[in-house]
Amino acid sequence: MTDALPPTVLYHCPCTGAMRHSDASNEPAEKRSKYSADTMQSSQSERPPVDSHSALFPLRVSTLENLYYCDDCSSLRCTRCVVEEPAGYHCPNCLFEVNTTSVRSEKNSCARNCFQCPVCTHVLSVVESSEGERPFSLSCTVCCWNSREIGWEFEKATGISAQIERLRAAEDAPREYSALLDYWRTVQRVSAASTAAAGAGSFKQRLAVSNTSVVPEYRTVAGSSDTEQARVAELMALENADYVPYTSDPRRNEPQRIRLHMKLARRCCSCHHILIKPMPKAQATQFKIQLMAANFLPTITLPSRLSLKYPPQSLEGPFAVGRALPVILRFANPLYTEMKVGVSACSPGDVRVEVISKQFTLPPYTEPWEYDDDEDDDSSSDLHNSSSDQRAGIVDRHGNRVAIQLSVTPLVPAPNLVVPLYITCSHIDDIDGEKDRSSSTVSKSSSRAVTDSFWIYVILGSAQ
């Protein structure tokens, strides 16, 4: 990492790192629920999966808002380790939903009256005039282009795509007829030359004439994919771009149908569990399934100031080498259940890190308007626990947030101080019982222990 980064907290996705997966995911839920200090001590011996001085460091870490969470694998997922698949197709202009089977037949374009202007690419509208047998045409409200300039006039205001196909077929028929005439004239000339040469000359001369008078294969001119491929191959074979004809596409001045847009669903690359699935309707902006990491893992931030009784925290630098720097990290619990968090530091060669509070508990998430009532009721208990929290390394508690303090000592000058931390969090996930189909009773709810572990990188200012 050569460029200086602003102070922030970045999360590491295990798909691109060399981190060894913990064996706790293969153990039973009873064993995984035990939060012991031995697990934290073993994690301290592990090295960070990504070197902060590597040029690939910005590509292997990301913010929590840009990561997904697979609840089957209990692991983070980034945009590079998910599988994308189409969840629906629609026209961006008329918002008409198109079936998956019709996308190929419609050539990934809207089959309704949605066209783009060939001059300014604005959406064309159907206008009506009182002259002629075909009073309807396509007009652009931006550049005033009209389809009457190319001879396109329509009988009805609906079904414009079908009428355009008929107009194109009528235009292609004369060109196809002229191509057929030229082809058969060539065939007659070749056959006449071969007949005249067959009556005189030696055998070798007649054989040479028969080899050179091979009739070429006929290819259709209108609506042929081979013709388009041959035209593209001819343009690609040109050595100088100045010789490319400006009017290489004969239909360049014709309005084109608007391309369809699609909504994407994303799956986990390991278990193919759905992470993101949008609503199929084009007007909907909600998601059926949305497993974002910010909804399952604690949000870790660098607060500039906790409250009025604490001085502001300046992390821009520069910091003195060999001098301890207090750094405050704030953990926020997004779940409605209590979460146990463990923090262990891995000191690289350029910085020394000391974690005072290695294990603490995050209260469950509570609605914001309930915080004031809870603070009034628990004011006496907060004063009693403030001294014990300070001895444990906890700086502040508020709602579902807990702030802890780290001691960071830079050892060498660097444009950024990068502090790798190994985070382990566990909570009890309540699973509601399913209702029995044969009776009206509801079975008792069950619970399971969920343990997640991941690496984070705390980016601080420069050290001099």
Side-chain angles (χ1 to χ4, degrees):
M1 185 181 63
T2 58
D3 298 336
L5 298 176
T8 184
V9 178
L10 301 177
Y11 291 68
H12 174 260
C13 179
C15 69
T16 55
M19 184 182 68
R20 180 172 54 86
H21 293 280
S22 176
D23 298 334
S25 59
N26 299 327
E27 296 180 356
E30 293 79 4
K31 294 184 179 180
R32 285 185 293 166
S33 61
K34 297 181 180 180
Y35 193 81
S36 60
D38 297 338
T39 305
M40 297 303 302
Q41 292 177 1
S42 63
S43 64
Q44 290 178 3
S45 60
E46 297 181 3
R47 299 181 60 184
V50 182
D51 186 9
S52 61
H53 300 284
S54 174
L56 298 178
F57 177 77
L59 302 177
R60 295 187 175 182
V61 293
S62 178
T63 58
L64 185 63
E65 294 78 10
N66 297 330
L67 296 176
Y68 308 102
Y69 178 80
C70 180
D71 52 359
D72 286 356
C73 302
S74 296
S75 179
L76 287 170
R77 291 289 177 255
C78 63
T79 55
R80 294 182 298 273
C81 61
V82 295
V83 181
E84 294 183 346
E85 60 182 21
Y89 298 88
H90 66 277
C91 175
N93 182 41
C94 63
L95 300 180
F96 179 73
E97 300 175 14
V98 183
N99 298 328
T100 307
T101 55
S102 303
V103 173
R104 185 183 295 271
S105 60
E106 297 296 339
K107 299 180 180 179
N108 196 28
S109 302
C110 182
R112 307 180 83 183
N113 299 348
C114 299
F115 291 86
Q116 288 182 344
C117 176
V119 178
C120 64
T121 67
H122 192 265
V123 179
L124 299 178
S125 58
V126 181
V127 295
E128 183 180 3
S129 62
S130 58
E131 300 178 357
E133 299 179 356
R134 298 179 177 179
F136 298 98
S137 61
L138 294 175
S139 178
C140 180
T141 58
V142 176
C143 63
C144 299
W145 182 89
N146 196 284
S147 62
R148 297 181 185 274
E149 299 178 6
I150 59 174
W152 282 13
E153 298 176 352
F154 311 103
E155 300 176 354
K156 300 182 297 182
T158 58
I160 300 296
S161 299
Q163 299 183 59
I164 288 178
E165 292 297 331
R166 290 195 293 268
L167 289 175
R168 286 177 174 174
E171 294 175 357
D172 293 340
R175 290 194 299 163
E176 191 73 26
Y177 181 73
S178 300
L180 280 172
L181 288 180
D182 296 339
Y183 175 75
W184 287 113
R185 288 169 182 167
T186 304
V187 171
Q188 290 178 358
R189 288 196 298 268
V190 170
S191 60
S194 59
T195 303
S202 61
F203 175 76
K204 293 183 178 180
Q205 293 177 351
R206 292 195 302 269
L207 182 61
V209 171
S210 61
N211 292 334
T212 57
S213 60
V214 177
V215 179
E217 181 182 359
Y218 176 74
R219 294 182 179 181
T220 59
V221 176
S224 175
S225 60
D226 296 338
T227 306
E228 295 293 331
Q229 294 178 2
R231 183 178 62 85
V232 173
E234 181 182 357
L235 295 177
M236 294 296 293
L238 294 176
E239 296 181 358
N240 192 349
D242 297 335
Y243 293 98
V244 177
Y246 180 72
T247 59
S248 59
D249 191 358
R251 294 179 177 177
R252 182 179 57 86
N253 295 326
E254 296 181 1
Q256 302 296 326
R257 293 192 297 174
I258 294 181
R259 297 292 183 180
L260 298 177
H261 287 190
M262 65 178 177
K263 292 185 175 183
L264 293 176
R266 295 183 174 181
R267 294 179 178 268
C268 176
C269 61
S270 300
C271 63
H272 295 280
H273 183 65
I274 297 179
L275 304 178
I276 297 293
K277 186 175 183 181
M279 297 291 289
K281 291 187 177 181
Q283 300 89 342
T285 57
Q286 296 83 8
F287 293 86
K288 280 187 175 181
I289 301 174
Q290 189 178 16
L291 302 181
M292 304 300 296
N295 299 330
F296 295 89
L297 300 180
T299 303
I300 307 173
T301 56
L302 291 167
S304 58
R305 190 167 190 174
L306 294 176
S307 61
L308 295 177
K309 61 181 181 180
Y310 292 100
Q313 181 179 210
S314 178
L315 301 176
E316 296 290 342
F319 306 116
V321 176
R323 184 176 180 180
L325 170 69
V327 178
I328 297 177
L329 287 180
R330 176 185 286 170
F331 292 75
N333 185 9
L335 303 177
Y336 289 95
T337 59
E338 189 179 76
M339 180 182 294
K340 296 181 180 180
V341 180
V343 181
S344 61
C346 179
S347 298
D350 54 353
V351 64
R352 183 172 65 250
V353 185
E354 181 183 358
V355 181
I356 303 175
S357 179
K358 296 184 178 181
Q359 297 181 13
F360 54 91
T361 303
L362 289 178
Y365 174 77
T366 311
E367 299 299 335
W369 51 79
E370 298 180 3
Y371 285 152
D372 297 335
D373 299 337
D374 295 341
E375 290 176 356
D376 295 339
D377 298 337
D378 301 339
S379 59
S380 59
S381 60
D382 291 342
L383 294 175
H384 182 268
N385 297 329
S386 60
S387 59
S388 60
D389 287 345
Q390 291 179 0
R391 289 193 299 268
I394 297 177
V395 179
D396 182 62
R397 288 181 180 269
H398 181 75
N400 64 327
R401 300 186 296 270
V402 173
I404 65 173
Q405 184 174 349
L406 308 178
S407 178
V408 179
T409 304
L411 303 179
V412 294
N416 276 112
L417 292 179
V418 181
V419 180
L421 297 176
Y422 187 74
I423 308 298
T424 303
C425 54
S426 62
H427 67 278
I428 304 299
D429 189 10
D430 295 333
I431 304 175
D432 297 334
E434 296 181 355
K435 186 176 181 180
D436 191 2
R437 296 181 179 179
S438 59
S439 62
S440 59
T441 61
V442 179
S443 60
K444 296 182 179 180
S445 60
S446 60
S447 60
R448 64 186 181 97
V450 180
T451 302
D452 302 313
S453 58
F454 52 92
W455 285 88
I456 66 170
Y457 292 84
V458 183
I459 312 297
L460 303 177
S462 61
Q464 296 180 0

